[in-house]
């Protein structure tokens, strides 16, 4: 098992082999998470700092738990409330934290590319927990693991991603990951919420949801941000729900055993019918949350192995 | 009068569109004679003879749209540092932008800038003034007084005057005075907040983007206002294929319109931003490779008239930020000629065509006697080795700010010497 990366900044730099490596290890952690022996020591003695420059409850909690289950010392910083308000730049903040010698830095930032910038300035492993509209790699990995466990494979599936593609880093990372693993991807949503140049993405694009869902194996719903609901991108919440909200009637166009996914938090009655979201025969939304912890444990474990082997090499060289 | 003879050079004449071996005789601040080799006449006697070493001699570059950060941000660029950079880049006339802090929008501020320029810069400095007060697009500036004080053109730089009534009146008033108005063609509603050109690349990188159509919409509006007012107009940067047919029509219809483009849009494309490299963030954003080729073709055909450096110094702090937050702009006075020579080496443009856009056309548009290699023209000249290869190290730039996209780039072509009004202002070591 090899994973030759210093950071996890996105799906884009990963090879299919890397993705399989993470998912295989995460699979073990997921099984262990259901047993009594859920704690390990892969990150014992290491310091993990979570820096969230943008609100997050779920992702931050998931990373925190993942670190703690592997024995890391975990510190979470709500950066919105801190030095940023005092005018400190991102790089200065990074340098300050770097001086405290963390081993793992988990970063979320509202601007695309900010995590890449930060990774250039520190000498620990950086994990991207979402940067602007760019990437959210651990979300795509947990989605992949959920699909693999539910469908028994992660290739040659028909997968529909529905909703606000334009503003979604979850969609980007998923399009890249599922493409690398050789699946057929359909993007469904109103044209105002499709990114420019979409035709060159190697995906099929639909603005009619029923046609788009025809025969698919996986339906991924995306969250519609509140600020996009009124007039600017779509006429209204209720028209959106009528045309693009997932309900039993629209889902009937998908394959009979199609699974329903959502990265959360859900807007019930906006992008997804509440009852459908809770239907355990179709919805794997709770599994996604569970796999989130497992995937983050695996990613941090693999990065920490690289940190340790690098440290050993340096000692030997010295 | 002291006479200087530059011999053994390849003379680039952008007016005639020719390159020929010969000598140039300088008399004081002017060119006294152009002497092609083999015309049989005796070589004139001059107090001083300079051997051109068989390299190229061209009229010095006239660069419209240089930002010098005085007043307000002298730590980014002063008249002294910009002037030295220009001299080292073969730029003999810099036409400065008024987007300073405060904006150059009154005769008093213009007076200050001119005084500083004359004291500090070794090249010709011609100031432009703002078209509207504070570049806010509400009230026109004192165009008449500003012209008396030496303003050569009026521009709000990258601010589009959004209120068409205000812009139409300013154009009408400027026309009466014969003033040249330089505008930034862009539809500001579409381009608000954009950091990249929309398309696959910007979408994958998750950057807020503007459609290239915004440039054409801005140009279409301005052309309609020119038909209405008859003003003298120059578009600062045309960077997209879609804007070209409108420009072509406007010229064919006899409007007093010219257009420029920037060296960065001629030599770089949107993919150069990859890795979120903020030194490649310029305004308008870098375009697709197809657009770049279309703009080069328009330059070759003479549809686009001028090439500018759009020299925009930014300090490290304003560039070491996430891409969306980082400031736009790049320094380019010293890299303008070597970058432009990429188009020569790639076979896209010959040297007379290049200097038509770099020297002759900008001078003509501003009504200057320079930009020509002819008897009687000012002795503003650049001698350069078109083939000399080098790797650019941004630390060696003379600009106070080092925000060049060409750091570490292989370039071909170096300035050997620069003369302004007959005085040697730069000589390579």
């Amino acid at each position: 098992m090899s994973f030759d990366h210093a950071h996890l900044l996105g799906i884009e730099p990963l090879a299919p082999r890397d993705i399989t490596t993470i998912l295989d290890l995460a699979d073990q952690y997921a099984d262990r998470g259901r047993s009594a022996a859920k704690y390990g020591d892969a990150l014992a003695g290491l310091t993990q700092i979570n820096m969230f420059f943008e609100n997050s409850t779920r992702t931050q909690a998931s990373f925190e738990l993942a670190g703690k289950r592997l024995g890391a010392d975990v510190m979470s910083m709500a950066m919105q409330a801190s030095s940023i308000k005092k005018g400190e730049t991102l790089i200065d903040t990074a340098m300050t934290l770097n001086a405290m010698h963390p081993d793992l830095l988990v970063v979320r930032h509202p601007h695309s590319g900010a995590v890449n910038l930060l990774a250039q300035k520190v000498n620990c492993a950086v994990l991207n927990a979402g940067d602007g509209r760019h990437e959210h790699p651990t979300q795509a990995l947990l989605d992949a693991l959920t699909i693999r466990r539910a469908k028994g494979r992660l290739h040659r599936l028909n997968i529909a991603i529905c909703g606000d593609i334009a503003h979604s880093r979850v969609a980007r990372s998923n399009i890249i990951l599922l493409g690398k693993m050789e699946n057929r991807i359909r993007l469904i949503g109103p044209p105002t919420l499709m990114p420019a140049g979409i035709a060159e993405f190697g995906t099929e694009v639909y603005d009619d949801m029923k046609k788009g869902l025809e025969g698919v194996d996986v339906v991924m719903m995306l969250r519609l941000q509140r600020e996009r609901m009124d007039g600017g991108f779509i006429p209204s919440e209720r028209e959106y729900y009528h045309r693009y909200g997932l309900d039993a009637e629209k889902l009937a166009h998908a394959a009979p055993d199609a699974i329903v996914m959502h990265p959360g938090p859900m807007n019930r009655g906006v992008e997804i019918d509440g009852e459908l979201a809770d239907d355990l025969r179709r919805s794997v939304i709770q599994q996604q949350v569970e796999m989130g912890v497992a995937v983050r444990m695996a990613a941090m474990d693999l990065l920490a192995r690289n940190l340790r082997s690098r440290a050993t090499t340096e000692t030997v060289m010295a | 009068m002291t006479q200087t003879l530059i011999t053994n050079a390849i003379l680039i004449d952008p007016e005639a569109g020719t390159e020929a071996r010969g000598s140039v005789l300088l008399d004081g601040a002017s060119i006294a004679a152009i002497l092609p080799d083999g015309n049989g006449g005796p070589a004139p006697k001059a107090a001083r003879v300079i051997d051109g070493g068989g390299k190229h001699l061209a009229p010095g570059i006239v660069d419209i749209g240089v930002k010098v950060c005085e007043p307000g941000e002298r730590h980014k660029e002063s008249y002294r540092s910009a002037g030295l950079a220009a001299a080292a880049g073969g730029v003999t006339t810099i036409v400065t932008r008024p987007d300073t802090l405060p904006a150059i929008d009154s005769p008093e501020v213009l007076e200050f800038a001119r005084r500083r320029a004359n004291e500090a810069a070794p090249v010709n400095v011609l100031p432009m003034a703002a078209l509207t007060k504070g570049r806010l697009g509400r009230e026109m500036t004192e165009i008449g007084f500003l012209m008396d004080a030496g303003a050569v053109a009026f521009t709000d730089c990258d601010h589009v005057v959004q209120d068409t009534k205000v812009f139409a009146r300013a154009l009408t008033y400027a026309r009466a005075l014969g003033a040249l108005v330089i505008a930034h063609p862009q539809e500001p509603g579409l381009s608000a907040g954009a950091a990249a050109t929309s398309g696959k690349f910007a979408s994958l990188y998750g950057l807020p983007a503007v459609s290239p159509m915004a440039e054409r919409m801005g140009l279409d509006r301005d052309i309609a206002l020119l038909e209405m007012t008859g003003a003298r107009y120059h578009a600062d940067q045309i960077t997209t294929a879609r804007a070209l047919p409108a420009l072509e029509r406007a010229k064919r219809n006899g409007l007093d319109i010219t257009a420029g483009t920037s060296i960065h849009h001629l030599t770089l494309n949107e993919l150069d931003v990859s890795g979120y490299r903020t030194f490649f963030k310029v305004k308008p954003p870098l375009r697709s490779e197809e657009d770049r080729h279309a703009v080069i073709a328009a330059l070759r055909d003479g549809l686009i008239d001028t090439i500018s450096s759009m020299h925009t110094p930014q300090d490290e702090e304003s560039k070491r930020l996430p891409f969306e937050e980082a400031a736009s702009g790049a320094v380019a006075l010293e890299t303008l000629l070597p970058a432009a020579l990429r188009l020569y080496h790639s076979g896209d443009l010959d040297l007379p065509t290049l200097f038509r856009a770099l020297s002759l056309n900008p001078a003509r548009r501003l009504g200057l006697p320079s930009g020509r290699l002819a008897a009687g023209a000012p002795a503003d000249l650049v001698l350069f080795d078109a083939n000399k290869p080098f790797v650019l190290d941004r630390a060696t730039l003379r600009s106070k700010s080092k925000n060049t996209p060409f750091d570490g780039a292989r370039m071909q072509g170096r300035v050997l010497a620069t003369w302004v009004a007959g005085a040697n202002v730069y000589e390579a070591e």
Side-chain angles (χ1 to χ4, degrees):
Chain A
M1 182 161 56
S2 79
F3 182 78
D4 192 22
H5 295 272
H7 309 290
L8 180 64
L9 298 178
I11 298 297
E12 208 278 320
L14 302 181
R17 185 168 46 93
D18 298 323
I19 293 167
T20 307
T21 301
I22 300 174
L23 297 184
D24 288 348
L25 183 60
D27 229 352
Q28 296 173 28
Y29 279 128
D31 290 339
R32 211 206 283 179
R34 291 179 179 177
S35 73
K38 49 169 73 78
Y39 286 85
D41 59 1
L43 302 182
L46 299 185
T47 306
Q48 171 192 342
I49 300 182
N50 300 332
M51 286 167 78
F52 280 65
F53 293 90
E54 195 180 74
N55 271 333
S56 162
T57 313
R58 310 156 64 95
T59 306
Q60 190 174 336
S62 183
F63 267 109
E64 223 173 290
L65 199 56
K68 284 179 175 161
R69 285 200 179 157
L70 291 178
D73 293 319
V74 185
M75 182 170 85
S76 287
M77 303 180 61
M79 300 307 297
Q80 283 187 307
S82 79
S83 46
I84 292 299
K85 291 261 145 72
K86 298 175 195 158
E88 191 175 62
T89 67
L90 177 64
I91 288 180
D92 285 334
T93 308
M95 299 307 280
T96 306
L97 284 178
N98 195 46
M100 300 179 195
H101 300 295
D103 303 287
L104 297 156
L105 208 51
V106 179
V107 187
R108 168 171 288 191
H109 197 281
H111 290 315
S112 305
V115 183
N116 300 54
L117 176 67
L118 199 142
Q120 292 162 17
K121 307 290 172 185
V122 297
N123 36 32
C124 59
V126 176
L127 290 100
N128 182 359
D131 63 323
R133 306 175 190 176
H134 179 219
E135 282 231 44
H136 190 355
T138 55
Q139 178 70 42
L141 287 163
L142 75 87
D143 288 339
L145 184 59
T146 309
I147 295 170
R148 200 171 78 168
R149 284 169 78 109
K151 291 285 164 195
R153 66 176 199 273
L154 189 59
H155 56 272
R156 296 195 177 197
L157 292 166
N158 288 311
I159 300 172
I161 305 177
C162 314
D164 183 1
I165 314 283
H167 301 97
S168 174
R169 54 193 173 216
V170 176
R172 274 178 192 60
S173 288
N174 265 313
I175 292 168
I176 300 169
L177 188 152
L178 296 169
K180 281 184 197 262
M181 305 312 280
E182 297 180 3
N183 296 283
R184 273 180 79 172
I185 303 166
R186 300 181 189 176
L187 304 179
I188 306 173
T192 46
L193 294 176
M194 286 290 167
I198 193 76
E200 298 164 57
F201 274 57
T203 58
E204 297 161 44
V205 181
Y206 293 87
D207 53 20
D208 180 326
M209 192 160 186
K210 288 173 185 168
K211 278 190 194 144
L213 288 181
E214 207 60 58
V216 299
D217 304 298
V218 177
V219 184
M220 280 189 174
M221 300 306 298
L222 296 171
R223 176 181 164 76
L224 185 68
Q225 304 286 336
R226 282 263 155 214
E227 62 266 27
R228 319 230 193 269
M229 287 180 196
D230 299 316
F233 291 87
I234 53 166
S236 72
E237 201 177 305
R238 61 184 191 179
E239 180 160 327
Y240 185 80
Y241 183 65
H242 177 70
R243 290 176 55 81
Y244 298 103
L246 186 67
D247 54 20
E249 192 206 332
K250 295 196 190 87
L251 185 60
H253 292 263
D257 61 346
I259 55 169
V260 174
M261 307 176 73
H262 193 295
M266 279 181 282
N267 296 305
R268 289 170 187 262
V270 178
E271 67 252 354
I272 190 163
D273 173 55
E275 243 174 87
L276 185 60
D278 297 333
D279 180 354
L280 294 181
R281 289 168 305 167
R282 309 305 295 272
S283 163
V284 294
I285 295 171
Q286 293 306 314
Q287 280 95 305
Q288 285 177 275
V289 178
E290 186 188 353
M291 293 311 125
V293 178
V295 152
R296 288 167 184 131
M297 289 168 81
M300 289 196 288
D301 182 356
L302 290 168
L303 290 174
R305 292 181 202 188
N306 285 349
L307 281 177
R308 289 200 160 114
S309 68
R310 224 185 311 152
T312 316
T313 323
E314 277 161 23
T315 318
V316 173
M317 300 295 278
Chain B
M1 283 296 232
T2 53
Q3 289 199 327
T4 305
L5 185 69
I6 306 172
T7 62
N8 186 25
I10 304 170
L11 309 181
I12 301 170
D13 182 347
E15 268 182 308
T18 56
E19 284 176 62
R21 289 191 166 274
S23 310
V24 173
L25 182 66
L26 313 184
D27 190 359
S30 305
I31 296 174
I34 304 295
L35 310 156
D37 281 358
N39 66 346
K45 288 201 174 90
R48 202 165 158 239
V49 177
I50 296 164
D51 182 2
K55 307 302 183 194
H56 290 93
L57 187 70
I61 296 168
V62 179
D63 190 0
I64 299 178
V66 173
K67 169 90 179 266
V68 178
C69 307
E70 289 189 65
E73 296 176 298
R74 193 148 71 167
H75 69 285
K76 290 187 177 179
E77 192 81 291
S78 67
Y79 278 102
R80 180 84 192 146
S81 59
L84 292 172
V91 178
T92 50
T93 300
I94 56 178
V95 183
T96 57
R97 304 210 304 255
D99 54 344
T100 46
L101 290 174
I104 299 175
D105 62 356
S106 69
E108 291 76 17
V109 185
L110 188 80
E111 198 56 54
F112 165 83
R114 284 199 65 181
R115 199 173 59 242
R116 284 284 309 141
N118 288 335
E119 282 165 12
V123 300
N124 305 310
V125 180
L126 298 174
M128 297 191 284
L131 183 66
T132 68
K133 288 176 189 160
R135 301 195 300 130
L136 295 172
R138 295 202 195 103
E139 307 158 63
M140 69 178 91
T141 52
E142 294 171 312
I143 295 175
F145 280 151
L146 285 161
M147 285 178 85
D148 293 345
V152 296
F154 293 82
T155 179
D156 278 359
C157 304
D158 60 345
H159 288 188
V160 176
V161 181
Q162 297 196 41
D163 187 326
T164 42
K165 198 161 239 174
V166 170
F167 194 42
R169 284 185 187 142
L171 287 168
T172 305
Y173 193 86
R175 184 191 51 108
L177 294 170
L180 178 68
V181 173
I182 300 184
H184 183 70
Q186 194 69 216
E187 208 298 301
L190 280 180
S191 63
T197 302
S198 67
K200 183 189 179 190
F201 175 80
S203 289
L204 275 178
Y205 269 74
L207 292 172
V210 56
S211 165
M213 196 62 94
E215 181 174 293
R216 177 185 138 188
M217 290 172 71
L219 186 65
D220 276 341
R221 181 200 75 156
D222 289 1
I223 288 171
L225 290 173
L226 291 187
E227 282 187 32
M228 201 168 113
T229 61
R232 297 180 63 215
Y233 176 98
H234 177 78
D236 66 347
Q237 300 178 71
I238 294 297
T239 60
T240 62
R242 285 230 162 111
L244 296 172
L247 179 63
E248 202 272 325
R249 264 197 314 278
K251 284 191 164 183
R252 190 153 27 91
N253 291 343
L255 297 181
D256 192 352
I257 182 173
T258 50
T261 193
S262 96
I263 189 63
H264 298 119
H265 292 90
L266 286 170
T267 52
L268 304 169
N269 70 25
E270 56 182 351
L271 301 180
D272 286 304
V273 171
S274 65
Y276 298 101
R277 294 187 290 173
T278 57
F279 281 10
F280 290 81
K281 185 178 180 183
V282 293
K283 199 172 172 183
L286 292 174
R287 307 299 194 182
S288 68
E289 184 65 359
E290 293 75 38
D291 279 332
R292 188 179 80 87
H293 283 293
V295 170
I296 292 171
L299 201 60
R300 190 168 46 228
D301 300 343
L303 179 56
I304 290 180
D305 305 272
T306 65
I307 302 173
S308 294
S309 70
M310 293 313 285
H311 182 81
T312 304
Q314 298 289 2
D315 53 22
E316 299 288 304
E317 284 65 42
S318 47
K319 283 289 187 183
R320 289 175 70 202
L321 291 169
F323 198 83
E324 280 170 59
E325 291 176 47
S328 296
V331 292
L333 280 168
E334 277 171 86
T335 49
L336 175 58
L337 184 55
L341 287 169
R342 285 184 171 184
L343 302 172
Y344 163 67
H345 292 299
S346 64
D348 285 310
L349 300 174
D350 60 25
L351 290 173
T353 307
L354 209 49
F355 278 89
R356 185 181 70 194
L358 287 168
S359 306
L360 177 66
N361 284 345
R364 269 193 183 156
R365 192 52 170 152
L366 295 169
L368 307 176
S370 56
R372 298 177 302 135
L373 208 59
D380 294 351
L381 299 166
V382 53
L383 180 71
F384 64 97
D385 179 344
N387 295 312
K388 187 168 175 65
F390 70 103
V391 174
L392 185 85
D393 173 1
R394 72 188 184 109
T396 63
L397 293 179
R398 285 156 184 82
S399 282
K400 285 192 182 181
S401 297
K402 315 288 185 193
N403 55 306
T404 171
F406 294 113
D407 186 39
R410 291 160 190 273
M411 310 200 89
Q412 203 178 345
R414 281 222 110 146
V415 174
L416 301 172
T418 307
W419 291 266
V420 173
N424 182 207
V425 294
Y426 173 75
E427 201 154 348
E429 287 142 30

